[in-house]
Amino acid sequence: MAVLSEQLVKPNLLATSRSSKLPFDQMFRLASFSSALVVLVVLAGIIGSMFYGGWPAFREFGFGFITSSVWNVGQDQYGAWVAIVGTLTSALIALVIGVPISLGIAIFLTQLSPPWLKRPVATTIELLAAVPSIIYGMWGLFVFAPLFARFVQVPVTSLVEGIPFFGTILYARVPSGVGVLTAGIILAIMIIPFVASITRDILDQIPSMLRESAYGIGCTTWEVVRHVLLPQAGVSIIGAIMLGLGRALGETMAVTFVIGNANRLSLSLFDPGSTIASRIANEFNEAIGMQLNALLALGCILFLVTFAVLVLARLLIARVKLT
Amino acid sequence: MIGNAPPSFPATPVGGRVRRSRQVADGALKLTCILFTALGTFVLGWILLMLLVEGAGGLSLAVFTQVTPGPGTEGGGIANAIVGSLILTILSIAVATPIGVLAGTYLAEYGKGSKLAETIRFVNDVLLAAPSILIGLFVYMFMVQPMGGYSGWAGGVALAIIAVPVIVRTTEDMLRIVPGSLREAGAALGAPMSTVIRKISWRSARAGMVTGVLLATARIAGETAPLLFTALNNNFWFRPDLMGGVANLPVMIYQFALSPYQNWRELAWAGALIITAAILALSVAARLLFKKETAR
């Protein structure tokens, strides 16, 4: 309480409201101020608990915790490398597939769609964001993975066999449909609604006079998009993409269903792997001792990475709003 | 490029006035965009169809009246998970709404332009997209461990932490649209700040704020990851003090869908259909309400 009232002194002095002597008025102000502080407390709590819980693992394994790919519960040896690689790979695949589709949808909604179609399509895309992540997981595992195994993994594997590079990264030892690439595709579908709707908002904010001038001198839609819209919105679209990346990095349930949950470093995108989030979801409830600390240390790494990505995303999006 | 055209260029070139390569690029862009949009809508349709096909068959009266069956037990329902999910959601929204609305009010009304409000707004935006599994870990560390076990309270708090940023954001956005002249009119009548906020700002922004709470409800109702380590799941009715884990739909679906038992999987599909239908209905209702209220 003492801390709170101390912090309140400054805003109270600043406020010149003649009514600040009324007790209810002051209480109301105090209540909203402390509620706002809850947001900061939550962030501090997340940082604090991750560092506190993960510290024993960091101290025990040192920097090797990040670079080691051993995850052996029996011998109590833990390393994060496989999970880090899985997290980054699946998120990158999600971006490579999801970003073009999101941009296409945003361009369709802002430039091409007839007015009567705009609202239903926009709502449909936004509803994709409302579908719980576990439903994507079930769809991915029970519907998508079997089709993917049959129509993509098997033919592609026989096609690329023996070819250098492609024969390695697209070779499925066991064409079961689950794996890092499947996880990336599901993640792509999950980030599309976010990236698409933010990009649409950004494109909508561009003054229509710029667009109309370009059309007026005879530009085609492609030229308007390429030479007017993208240069105008470029930085904030990168921000929107980073926001999608932040989501893809931390997504848990859908990935846990389809990534295969193997602690194995494989060069093939068709092979099962694991991400930081999926490993925590799988093991945390049964973990004791050092395994618990190692999982919290994984959480700590995930937090630092996503936090950095999200902060960067917000800065990029905010910068353009000002200009 | 257009300016470099030679003067001898015919007034109406053969094949229309737009060069072929430009036409191709334009057509390719339009086609790609339409295809991508169709793909997005197709995936949503596909997922909904899958839920209907797999889930509708498993729906029966028993689903809504019986508790989840133990391993290897025939029959059963998901009544405990449905009620548990309702309780967790209501609990967390009851915690998150006052905090979120008041915090949003602070950002929009009191903290305008201050460094602290700026920081809180930024942190709130980051929390909006933070991985929900980390929030589960955080609540595990500071509630489940000290309290000595899983509980509905921990689950409720974890969900509330996810809901608060959504409510803060929408409340602030909605309060910002309220014209300043309305507030000035209130202040000119001698109303104190709190009265101006409650009677004028909140009242004008009511529809948007309710939409925010509905969207937050839709967001947390299907969250699974933060409940894994907080409310957990079990095959019984919850205890009145909500200690020892509370059955809930998302974690039930997760555990049952990956199980070897046929009846567990059918219950998982039924649960998936119910929860998705509820969430989509909530999202659509929030949109309709907002549209109707703002149209007035």
Side-chain angles (χ1 to χ4, degrees):
Chain A
M1 217 49 213
V3 181
L4 265 186
S5 48
E6 232 175 72
Q7 280 160 326
L8 265 179
V9 169
K10 204 178 151 204
N12 261 348
L13 282 179
L14 283 175
T16 49
S17 168
R18 81 232 92 75
S19 53
S20 57
K21 282 179 215 103
L22 296 172
F24 179 80
D25 206 45
Q26 275 198 315
M27 290 230 327
F28 188 81
R29 189 195 178 96
L30 183 74
S32 33
F33 181 70
S34 18
S35 301
L37 283 186
V38 167
V39 175
L40 293 183
V41 169
V42 165
L43 183 77
I46 296 177
I47 300 175
S49 59
M50 294 295 134
F51 269 104
Y52 174 78
W55 182 244
F58 284 128
R59 198 182 45 202
E60 172 83 20
F61 304 113
F63 192 70
F65 181 74
I66 295 175
T67 53
S68 157
S69 48
V70 182
W71 188 274
N72 192 325
V73 181
Q75 295 173 357
D76 232 16
Q77 289 297 312
Y78 305 102
W81 188 239
V82 177
I84 292 176
V85 169
T87 309
L88 295 179
T89 318
S90 58
L92 278 182
I93 296 171
L95 287 191
V96 169
I97 299 171
V99 167
I101 298 181
S102 314
L103 295 187
I105 291 174
I107 293 170
F108 176 81
L109 283 175
T110 52
Q111 316 296 324
L112 303 174
S113 168
W116 58 269
L117 198 59
K118 252 183 205 178
R119 212 185 160 86
V121 170
T123 311
T124 309
I125 300 298
E126 279 166 28
L127 286 184
L128 267 179
V131 173
S133 128
I134 192 158
I135 305 296
Y136 282 104
M138 293 174 85
W139 180 76
L141 182 63
F142 298 117
V143 178
F144 183 76
L147 293 175
F148 189 69
R150 192 165 151 204
F151 294 108
V152 179
Q153 282 191 336
V154 174
V156 168
T157 300
S158 56
L159 191 73
V160 300
E161 205 168 356
I163 304 173
F165 185 67
F166 290 106
T168 314
I169 66 161
L170 292 176
Y171 182 79
R173 251 166 293 215
V174 187
S176 59
V178 300
V180 178
L181 183 59
T182 314
I185 293 172
I186 303 293
L187 283 175
I189 298 172
M190 296 183 72
I191 64 169
I192 284 171
F194 294 97
V195 181
S197 62
I198 300 172
T199 310
R200 184 199 58 187
D201 291 347
I202 296 166
L203 292 181
D204 266 341
Q205 277 174 11
I206 295 175
S208 54
M209 194 190 286
L210 285 176
R211 224 177 62 203
E212 282 161 16
S213 319
Y215 279 123
I217 58 166
C219 286
T220 61
T221 309
W222 158 250
E223 284 154 357
V224 172
V225 169
R226 171 69 189 79
H227 297 291
V228 179
L229 299 184
L230 287 187
Q232 277 288 317
V235 179
S236 39
I237 289 180
I238 293 174
I241 294 170
M242 302 285 284
L243 210 61
L245 177 63
R247 293 235 169 225
L249 289 170
E251 180 47 55
T252 311
M253 299 317 296
V255 174
T256 309
F257 270 86
V258 297
I259 201 164
N261 301 311
N263 184 60
R264 189 174 51 193
L265 213 51
S266 168
L267 286 173
S268 172
L269 296 177
F270 284 160
D271 274 347
S274 54
T275 68
I276 293 180
S278 74
R279 171 149 309 153
I280 297 174
N282 266 315
E283 298 186 5
F284 194 77
N285 274 330
E286 277 98 45
I288 42 161
M290 187 51 81
Q291 191 187 0
L292 192 80
N293 296 125
L295 288 170
L296 284 163
L298 278 183
C300 191
I301 296 172
L302 176 64
F303 176 82
L304 292 176
V305 174
T306 45
F307 189 74
V309 168
L310 292 174
V311 166
L312 198 60
R314 286 293 165 196
L315 290 176
L316 287 174
I317 293 177
R319 214 182 74 180
V320 173
K321 263 187 197 158
L322 290 176
T323 51
Chain B
M1 261 218 260
I2 299 164
N4 286 345
S8 63
F9 210 74
T12 319
V14 191
R17 295 187 38 154
V18 182
R19 214 184 308 154
R20 189 96 187 113
S21 62
R22 294 176 62 204
Q23 270 180 337
V24 169
D26 190 47
L29 173 84
K30 283 180 177 160
L31 191 67
T32 322
C33 291
I34 291 169
L35 280 180
F36 282 167
T37 312
L39 186 70
T41 28
F42 172 71
V43 168
L44 181 71
W46 193 359
I47 290 174
L48 296 184
L49 193 70
M50 165 198 81
L51 287 174
L52 278 177
V53 168
E54 301 275 350
L59 285 183
S60 63
L61 192 63
V63 166
F64 297 98
T65 52
Q66 296 182 16
V67 298
T68 43
T73 320
E74 284 298 307
I78 50 173
N80 53 340
I82 295 176
V83 178
S85 258
L86 280 177
I87 288 183
L88 288 177
T89 309
I90 292 170
L91 188 69
S92 53
I93 282 297
V95 174
T97 303
I99 296 179
V101 165
L102 283 172
T105 305
Y106 177 81
L107 294 183
E109 304 276 345
Y110 289 111
K112 244 183 265 166
S114 83
K115 261 267 172 315
L116 180 70
E118 198 96 325
T119 315
I120 292 175
R121 187 173 302 125
F122 193 83
V123 168
N124 190 66
D125 275 354
V126 171
L127 282 181
L128 258 180
S132 54
I133 192 159
L134 295 183
I135 290 164
L137 287 183
F138 162 53
V139 174
Y140 176 88
M141 293 289 285
F142 100 105
M143 272 186 85
V144 176
Q145 261 189 348
M147 285 167 80
Y150 302 105
S151 70
W153 304 112
V157 169
L159 292 181
I161 291 178
I162 295 170
V164 163
V166 182
I167 301 178
V168 171
R169 179 65 191 267
T170 39
T171 304
E172 195 204 347
D173 285 352
M174 292 306 141
L175 288 177
R176 276 171 177 269
I177 323 178
V178 176
S181 52
L182 281 183
R183 296 190 186 90
E184 283 162 20
L189 291 173
M193 186 91 169
S194 57
T195 314
V196 171
I197 291 171
R198 284 179 306 128
K199 296 280 161 71
I200 297 175
S201 301
W202 280 5
R203 218 168 259 191
S204 335
R206 196 177 46 200
M209 289 159 69
V210 173
T211 307
V213 173
L214 286 180
L215 287 178
T217 316
R219 167 90 200 270
I220 60 172
E223 278 288 352
T224 315
L227 294 179
L228 283 176
F229 327 127
T230 52
L232 205 65
N233 185 38
N234 54 40
N235 292 330
F236 324 103
W237 285 101
F238 48 88
R239 287 171 35 187
D241 62 356
L242 295 184
M243 293 302 291
V246 172
N248 59 86
L249 277 175
V251 181
M252 183 282 291
I253 294 171
Y254 172 55
Q255 292 173 346
F256 279 25
L258 297 173
S259 77
Y261 309 110
Q262 182 62 32
N263 63 328
W264 275 25
R265 286 206 219 159
E266 277 168 14
L267 289 175
W269 283 112
L273 175 64
I274 293 170
I275 202 163
T276 312
I279 288 172
L280 291 186
L282 256 177
S283 314
V284 172
R287 267 161 239 280
L288 289 181
L289 170 93
F290 187 60
K291 197 176 148 198
K292 197 177 128 209
E293 284 277 330
T294 44
R296 275 202 315 203

